[in-house]
């Protein structure tokens, strides 16, 4: 609890800027107010969903799931505070940009207790993440591919990949590494999303200055796709799709770079590809819209940031898996807007990073990647000329 109070002090100073006030030296600076927490429990479902970003029935499943996990790991031996109340506090914290000070006041606890609850709940959501964020098996991939093809006309797509940034407080160590191209500090998040906006692979923790292509090369997903057993992660007629930041390969479809001289067939290819690939942007927008603390995290410890981000995407999937769809096939087939068509995004050369990557990786992986890239160029031409007819 002492560590939790110190962490809460730090976050509150970052959030509220106390102009040099030292909370630890201020004595009884926090007075708890009386809160009728039962009012949250009796709240009607539309209002509950507005505040907690899920229906009450899904929330009850979440409470049971997290509580059982903590008990199993011997992290919850007795309840001084009703666990349902704890989950209300933490979900509110994840779902809103409200400060620790504000949320503590809303639920009648001191900030140290709130941080203690928050720390253990996001840990309990991050640890079992593979149960909720998992790569699709062969039958699931077939279903995803068929859905994308019916909606967009592009065959073989089993997921869309992209990166997004979660802005954070400047870290105390190596802060320059976290500064992104928008001149803010951030953590890079890579996700692969399927036709339901379910996240099927998540890689969190790379610094904000790192380009999406390098994040992909450092993620476990690349090695799984390149070195996995045939058909285990992806079949010959399957692929994920990404924007121009990625490299064309047999398992990655990317657009033709629009240099102003693309043929009609190439433009058509880009348009068809874009209609499925835009769904990963939809997923990021929905996740950040629901779990709004992802828009900015006041935290200096990277492990807490990673747990928080992962927990938020677990909740994103948890609600979908328990019957709260984010998109239907009709919306999936909506014609892509002009500003969503790939090929016009800026291209960034990364020669130094490529050289560093080649020095890091084993020769067999590099050899397989080179072969996959060559086959990917042939595959893209085949799709453009014989499959994606206008």
């Amino acid at each position: 609890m002492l560590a939790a109070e110190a962490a809460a002090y730090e976050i509150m100073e970052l959030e509220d800027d106390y102009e040099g006030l030292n909370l630890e030296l201020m004595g009884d600076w926090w007075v708890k107010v009386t809160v009728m927490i039962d009012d949250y429990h009796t709240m009607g479902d539309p209002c509950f969903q507005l505040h907690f970003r899920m229906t009450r029935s899904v929330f009850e499943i979440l409470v049971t799931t997290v509580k059982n996990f903590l008990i199993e790991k011997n992290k919850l031996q007795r309840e001084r505070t009703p666990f349902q109340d704890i989950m209300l506090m933490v979900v509110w914290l994840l779902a809103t940009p409200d400060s620790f000070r504000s949320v503590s006041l809303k639920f009648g606890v001191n900030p140290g207790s709130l941080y203690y609850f928050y720390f253990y709940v996001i840990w309990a959501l991050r640890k079992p993440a593979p149960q909720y964020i998992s790569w699709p098996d062969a039958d699931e991939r077939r279903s995803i591919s068929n859905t994308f093809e019916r909606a967009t006309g592009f065959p073989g797509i089993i997921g869309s990949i992209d990166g997004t940034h979660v802005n954070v407080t400047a870290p105390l160590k190596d802060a320059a590494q976290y500064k992104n191209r928008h001149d803010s500090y951030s953590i890079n998040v890579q996700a692969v999303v399927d036709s339901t906006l379910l996240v099927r692979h998540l890689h969190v923790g790379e610094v904000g200055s790192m380009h999406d292509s390098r994040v992909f090369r450092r993620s476990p997903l690349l090695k799984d796709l390149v070195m996995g057993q045939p058909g285990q992660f992806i079949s010959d007629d399957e692929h994920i799709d990404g924007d121009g930041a990625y490299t064309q390969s047999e398992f990655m479809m990317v657009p033709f770079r629009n240099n102003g001289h693309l043929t009609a067939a190439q433009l058509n290819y880009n348009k068809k590809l874009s209609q499925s690939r835009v769904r990963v942007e939809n997923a990021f927008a929905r996740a950040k819209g629901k779990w709004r603390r992802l828009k900015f995290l006041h935290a200096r410890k990277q492990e807490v940031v990673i747990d928080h981000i992962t927990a938020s995407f677990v909740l994103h999937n948890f609600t979908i898996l328990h019957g709260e769809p984010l998109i239907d096939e009709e919306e999936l087939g909506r014609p892509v807007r002009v500003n969503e068509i790939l090929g016009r995004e800026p291209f960034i050369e990364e020669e130094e990073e490529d050289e560093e990557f080649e020095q890091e990786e084993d020769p067999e992986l590099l050899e397989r990647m080179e072969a996959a890239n060559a086959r990917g160029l042939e595959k893209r031409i085949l799709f453009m000329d014989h499959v994606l007819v206008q």
Side-chain angles (χ1 to χ4, degrees):
M1 283 303 299
L2 290 175
E5 287 179 7
Y9 295 155
E10 180 182 60
I11 289 178
M12 290 172 65
E13 288 171 351
L14 291 171
E15 288 178 335
D16 290 326
D17 187 9
Y18 288 113
E19 297 183 355
L21 291 179
N22 190 327
L23 299 180
E24 295 184 66
L25 300 178
M26 290 176 62
D28 295 329
W29 60 274
W30 186 266
V31 177
K32 290 192 288 186
V33 299
T34 301
V35 174
M36 297 297 292
I37 201 163
D38 284 345
D39 290 347
Y40 294 110
H41 296 301
T42 59
M43 195 178 281
D45 203 57
C47 185
F48 186 91
Q49 190 169 7
L50 176 69
H51 292 303
F52 296 96
R53 305 298 195 263
M54 64 186 78
T55 60
R56 182 176 292 283
S57 60
V58 172
F59 175 77
E60 296 296 341
I61 297 171
L62 178 67
V63 170
T64 301
T65 301
V66 176
K67 182 177 179 178
N68 288 343
F69 180 82
L70 287 169
I71 292 172
E72 178 188 335
K73 299 300 181 182
N74 294 318
K75 299 293 186 182
L76 182 65
Q77 297 177 356
R78 53 181 175 174
E79 292 184 46
R80 292 187 177 89
T81 302
F83 194 74
Q84 193 173 54
D85 294 355
I86 291 173
M87 289 301 296
L88 286 171
M89 299 176 208
V90 177
V91 171
W92 186 293
L93 197 60
L94 295 170
T96 72
D98 291 3
S99 66
F100 263 74
R101 174 186 55 78
S102 173
V103 178
S104 299
L105 205 62
K106 280 184 174 74
F107 288 91
V109 297
N110 65 53
S113 296
L114 177 62
Y115 187 89
Y116 183 80
F117 299 149
Y118 161 76
F119 179 84
Y120 275 105
V121 169
I122 62 172
W123 175 85
L125 289 169
R126 191 265 301 169
K127 286 291 285 184
Q131 297 178 28
Y132 304 100
I133 303 174
S134 61
W135 192 253
D137 61 25
D139 289 338
E140 289 177 307
R141 297 199 305 267
R142 192 175 304 111
S143 176
I144 295 166
S145 173
N146 290 339
T147 301
F148 268 128
E149 186 170 6
R150 284 195 304 270
T152 70
F154 204 115
I157 293 176
I158 61 169
S160 301
I161 189 170
D162 200 8
T164 190
H165 290 265
V166 174
N167 290 332
V168 297
T169 309
L172 295 176
K173 184 179 180 182
D174 299 325
Q177 294 294 316
Y178 292 82
K179 187 170 285 191
N180 58 41
R181 66 181 182 275
H182 301 297
D183 208 32
S184 57
Y185 300 96
S186 65
I187 294 288
N188 212 315
V189 179
Q190 174 189 281
V192 177
V193 173
D194 72 12
S195 54
T196 65
L197 304 192
L198 199 66
V199 176
R200 306 310 301 245
H201 194 277
L202 187 71
H203 181 58
V204 182
E206 304 292 0
V207 295
S209 62
M210 191 174 292
H211 192 266
D212 284 353
S213 62
R214 180 150 176 78
V215 173
F216 176 60
R217 294 197 300 265
R218 287 173 57 89
S219 74
L221 178 61
L222 174 63
K223 186 166 288 188
D224 288 341
L225 295 173
V226 175
M227 305 293 284
Q229 294 297 319
Q232 180 182 4
F233 292 97
I234 199 163
S235 300
D236 290 343
D237 60 345
E238 297 171 343
H239 31 262
I240 57 179
D241 59 349
D243 62 20
Y246 300 96
T247 300
Q248 174 70 32
S249 74
E250 63 179 336
F251 53 76
M252 174 84 76
M253 296 289 109
V254 303
F256 291 94
R257 287 186 60 199
N258 193 343
N259 54 12
H261 303 287
L262 293 186
T263 66
Q266 289 171 327
L267 291 170
N268 180 59
Y269 174 94
N270 282 4
K271 183 177 180 180
K272 294 284 189 181
L273 183 72
S274 302
Q275 193 166 348
S276 57
R277 182 263 166 197
V278 74
R279 300 312 162 199
V280 67
E281 293 184 355
N282 296 155
F284 285 145
R286 301 289 179 91
K288 289 185 176 182
K290 271 194 169 189
W291 312 108
R292 296 189 65 196
R293 214 170 187 84
L294 288 176
K295 294 186 176 183
F296 194 100
L297 272 173
H298 290 281
R300 294 195 187 277
K301 295 180 180 178
Q302 191 184 38
E303 60 271 22
V304 174
V305 171
I306 290 173
D307 278 5
H308 183 115
I309 294 170
T310 306
S312 297
F313 280 98
V314 166
L315 289 176
H316 170 87
N317 277 14
F318 193 92
T319 57
I320 298 174
L321 292 169
H322 286 88
E324 296 186 10
L326 292 180
I327 192 170
D328 56 27
E329 197 163 324
E330 182 179 353
E331 186 180 353
L332 195 66
R334 170 186 61 78
V336 67
R337 299 185 181 95
V338 174
N339 66 341
E340 295 171 334
I341 297 176
L342 298 171
R344 302 185 313 276
E345 58 272 10
F347 182 76
I348 303 174
E349 294 285 355
E350 292 190 287
E351 294 180 0
E352 292 183 3
E353 289 196 343
D354 287 338
E355 291 175 2
E356 182 183 346
F357 175 70
E358 291 180 2
Q359 293 172 2
E360 290 176 355
E361 294 301 331
D362 64 83
E364 184 183 0
L365 176 63
L366 293 173
E367 184 179 347
R368 290 196 184 192
M369 284 179 56
E370 186 176 344
N373 294 346
R375 289 192 295 268
L377 294 174
E378 297 174 359
K379 192 175 183 180
R380 183 167 66 171
I381 292 173
L382 174 67
F383 275 118
M384 178 185 69
D385 291 341
H386 301 290
V387 180
L388 300 175
V389 293
Q390 296 184 17

